[in-house]
């Protein structure tokens, strides 16, 4: 059976060693990872199976992680991970959406690893670890000591390897292609849903050199009155001859996601709106110029905010967030944010989406830049011009 691995075994080994080091530091014997990005990061596992309970188990006394999930998804674990067959476990279908709990099965694996009375870490803040899941787990392992290990792996993932950055460059190329395709599609009378369809087609088609995949969330295509809403949806209405479109798209390569936002004015914009676009780009560039290893996220945000304040404007929401490998429902890694008060120190290999979207009372504009922190500053991961597009 062909393996679909996108990183060398040595890289997976380094990731696992870093996680085990942090586990030992916190006194965690066994770590149960419910978040699909963390499962992928440590094993390579990639399938749309996370709607049923699945875990990757890391134990200090076990060489490899253990994947456990629904029986029919075992084949995907064999195809997409480096794990030995014995470290790929599956529960029967009778546990799926029934009165039985898959966490009873998983508790049996914990006991197999000597974890009946162990200190067990779980991702309490994860999207895929419910209150019911935790209650069932605690009931099944009453002598164990459960601790919150949320974001343990996320903070290790925050610094990307050269191989990860290479995939994110490819994802950025796909994002650029998506934006070009969407802008080309825009015109008076074109249905909003057809703009979305063009973006989706390019998302999956990718480029001539490499294909893409589905994103963590649908594209945000906010049009007309909905341009003041950050996360609005498209309709099947035709575009007016004069309107504004805010497009937030994401290129994806082997689950590594790079977002890109641009605003398109269909018809000549008002001079005041053109000026707002110029201010947004000026502040975005000021924020990017503030990026240096050793500086904090808060200092980068200050560079942006000071440029914006010179024009009497301010942005309440965070300026950006860490990105990397991602699965639905969100691309953000839930770690560092480019915002006032975040004292996370920038290091080469960190990757962010700088998202200086401005949603005011009557207008909105989104011109953004995903970038990697380098030894000297930053590397843009997309090449679409930072400007207001006018058609």
């Amino acid at each position: 059976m062909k393996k679909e691995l996108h990183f060398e075994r040595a890289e997976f080994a380094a990731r696992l060693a870093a996680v085990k080091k942090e586990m030992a530091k916190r006194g965690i014997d066994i770590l149960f990872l419910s978040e699909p990005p963390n499962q992928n990061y440590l094993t390579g596992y990639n399938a749309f199976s996370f709607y049923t309970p699945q875990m990757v188990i890391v134990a200090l006394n076990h060489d490899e992680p253990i994947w456990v999930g629904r029986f029919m998804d075992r084949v995907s674990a064999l195809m997409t991970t480096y794990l030995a067959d014995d470290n790929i476990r599956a529960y029967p279908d009778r546990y799926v959406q029934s009165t039985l709990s898959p966490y009873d099965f998983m508790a049996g694996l914990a006991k197999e690893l000597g974890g009946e009375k162990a200190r067990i870490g779980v991702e309490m803040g994860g999207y895929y670890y419910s209150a019911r899941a935790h209650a069932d787990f605690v009931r099944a392992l009453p002598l164990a000591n459960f601790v919150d290990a949320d974001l343990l792996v996320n903070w290790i993932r925050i610094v990307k390897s050269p191989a990860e950055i290479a995939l994110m460059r490819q994802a950025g190329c796909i994002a650029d292609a998506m934006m070009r395709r969407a802008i080309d599609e825009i015109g008076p009378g074109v249905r909003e849903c057809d703009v979305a369809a063009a973006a989706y087609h390019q998302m999956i088609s990718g480029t001539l050199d490499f294909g893409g995949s589905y994103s963590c969330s649908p594209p945000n295509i906010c049009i007309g009155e909905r341009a003041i809403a950050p996360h609005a949806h498209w309709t099947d209405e035709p575009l007016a001859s004069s309107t504004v479109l805010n497009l937030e798209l994401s290129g994806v390569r082997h689950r590594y996601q790079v977002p890109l936002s641009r605003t398109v004015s269909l018809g000549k914009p008002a001079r005041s709106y053109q000026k707002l676009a110029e201010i947004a780009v000026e502040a975005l560039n000021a924020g990017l110029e503030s990026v240096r290893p050793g500086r904090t996220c808060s200092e980068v945000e200050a560079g942006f905010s000071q440029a914006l304040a010179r024009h009497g404007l301010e942005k309440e929401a965070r300026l950006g967030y860490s990105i990397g490998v991602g699965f639905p429902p969100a691309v953000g890694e839930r770690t560092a944010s480019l915002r006032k008060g975040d004292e996370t120190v920038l290091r080469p290999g960190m990757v962010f989406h700088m998202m200086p979207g401005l949603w005011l009372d009557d207008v909105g504009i989104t011109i953004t830049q995903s970038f990697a922190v380098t030894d000297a500053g930053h590397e843009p991961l997309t090449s679409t011009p930072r400007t207001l597009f006018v058609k």
Side-chain angles (χ1 to χ4, degrees):
M1 182 178 290
K2 181 181 177 181
K3 290 284 189 179
E4 301 171 10
L5 293 174
H6 306 299
F7 300 97
E8 299 293 332
R9 285 291 301 270
E11 178 148 344
F12 283 116
R15 297 173 182 181
L16 180 61
V19 170
K20 285 190 172 185
K21 181 179 179 180
E22 183 62 23
M23 288 170 61
K25 181 179 176 181
R26 300 189 190 189
I28 295 172
D29 303 304
I30 304 175
L31 178 64
F32 279 79
L33 297 170
S34 56
E35 288 296 277
N38 292 337
Q39 297 172 3
N40 176 277
Y41 181 74
L42 286 180
T43 71
Y45 182 75
N46 183 15
F48 202 96
S49 57
F50 42 85
Y51 61 92
T52 59
Q54 67 184 30
M55 291 278 190
V56 162
I57 308 169
V58 180
L60 291 181
N61 65 357
H62 199 75
D63 288 342
E64 285 187 355
I66 296 174
W67 177 93
V68 55
R70 190 180 185 184
F71 83 99
M72 65 174 59
D73 296 309
R74 185 176 185 274
V75 66
S76 290
L78 290 169
M79 289 177 173
T80 64
T81 77
Y82 65 88
L83 302 176
D85 288 4
D86 191 51
N87 291 324
I88 297 174
R89 309 295 184 92
Y91 54 79
D93 201 62
R94 65 177 180 271
Y95 284 98
V96 177
Q97 297 176 5
S98 74
T99 57
L100 299 176
S101 173
Y103 296 94
D104 288 329
F105 184 92
M106 295 177 189
L109 294 178
K111 293 175 182 178
E112 183 181 319
L113 293 167
E116 189 168 5
K117 298 181 181 180
R119 185 174 169 88
I120 295 176
V122 291
E123 296 179 300
M124 294 292 287
Y127 295 118
Y128 297 97
Y129 190 67
S130 69
R132 172 61 60 84
H134 188 65
D136 286 352
F137 223 173
V138 170
R139 173 188 50 76
L141 291 168
L143 301 180
N145 177 19
F146 284 86
V147 297
D148 185 10
D150 193 36
L151 303 182
L152 184 155
V153 177
N154 303 53
W155 278 107
I156 292 171
R157 281 170 38 205
I158 195 171
V159 176
K160 277 66 184 175
S161 69
E164 289 179 289
I165 296 292
L167 286 182
M168 298 192 78
R169 290 190 187 104
Q170 293 180 345
C173 290
I174 295 172
D176 285 325
M178 290 173 65
M179 189 61 71
R180 287 193 299 270
R181 179 78 176 276
I183 292 173
D184 287 346
E185 184 72 17
I186 291 168
V190 175
R191 295 185 304 170
E192 295 180 10
C193 55
D194 290 327
V195 177
Y200 262 108
H201 181 274
Q202 201 67 51
M203 178 195 300
I204 307 305
S205 180
T207 73
L208 292 176
D209 296 320
F210 40 79
S213 186
Y214 65 91
S215 56
C216 296
S217 58
N220 295 314
I221 301 180
C222 310
I223 301 172
E225 291 184 349
R226 284 174 282 115
I228 63 173
H231 305 119
H233 201 60
W234 60 84
T235 73
D236 58 1
E237 291 296 313
L239 295 175
S241 58
S242 180
T243 192
V244 167
L245 301 89
N246 286 334
L247 310 175
E248 183 175 357
L249 312 176
S250 293
V252 185
R253 179 69 171 155
H254 297 317
R255 299 313 321 149
Y256 283 81
Q257 184 160 317
V258 171
L260 170 65
S261 297
R262 289 294 182 270
T263 295
V264 181
S265 175
L266 188 52
K268 185 177 180 180
R271 176 56 195 151
S272 60
Y273 192 75
Q274 182 67 56
K275 179 62 176 176
L276 179 64
E278 293 167 2
I279 292 170
V281 172
E282 176 189 332
L284 169 61
N285 289 337
L288 291 169
E289 288 304 312
S290 299
V291 174
R292 294 285 188 282
R295 288 185 178 169
T296 66
C297 289
S298 185
E299 288 174 318
V300 171
E301 191 277 341
F304 166 83
S305 291
Q306 288 166 10
L308 202 60
R310 287 195 289 270
H311 301 279
L313 295 171
E314 63 179 348
K315 176 179 169 65
E316 180 181 354
R318 63 182 177 175
L319 175 61
Y321 45 86
S322 179
I323 58 174
V325 61
F327 285 76
V331 63
E333 291 185 315
R334 298 196 297 129
T335 51
S337 290
L338 303 175
R339 60 157 49 109
K340 183 178 181 180
D342 189 324
E343 299 304 318
T344 302
V345 176
L346 299 184
R347 289 185 283 165
M350 289 183 173
V351 183
F352 292 87
H353 180 211
M354 186 175 286
M355 211 302 176
L358 298 175
W359 297 280
L360 308 180
D361 291 339
D362 56 350
V363 295
I365 191 162
T366 55
I367 301 173
T368 76
Q369 184 64 62
S370 291
F371 67 90
V373 181
T374 66
D375 291 334
H378 76 280
E379 175 192 347
L381 294 176
T382 58
S383 60
T384 301
R386 298 172 205 149
T387 188
L388 171 67
F389 286 83
V390 179
K391 290 198 73 178

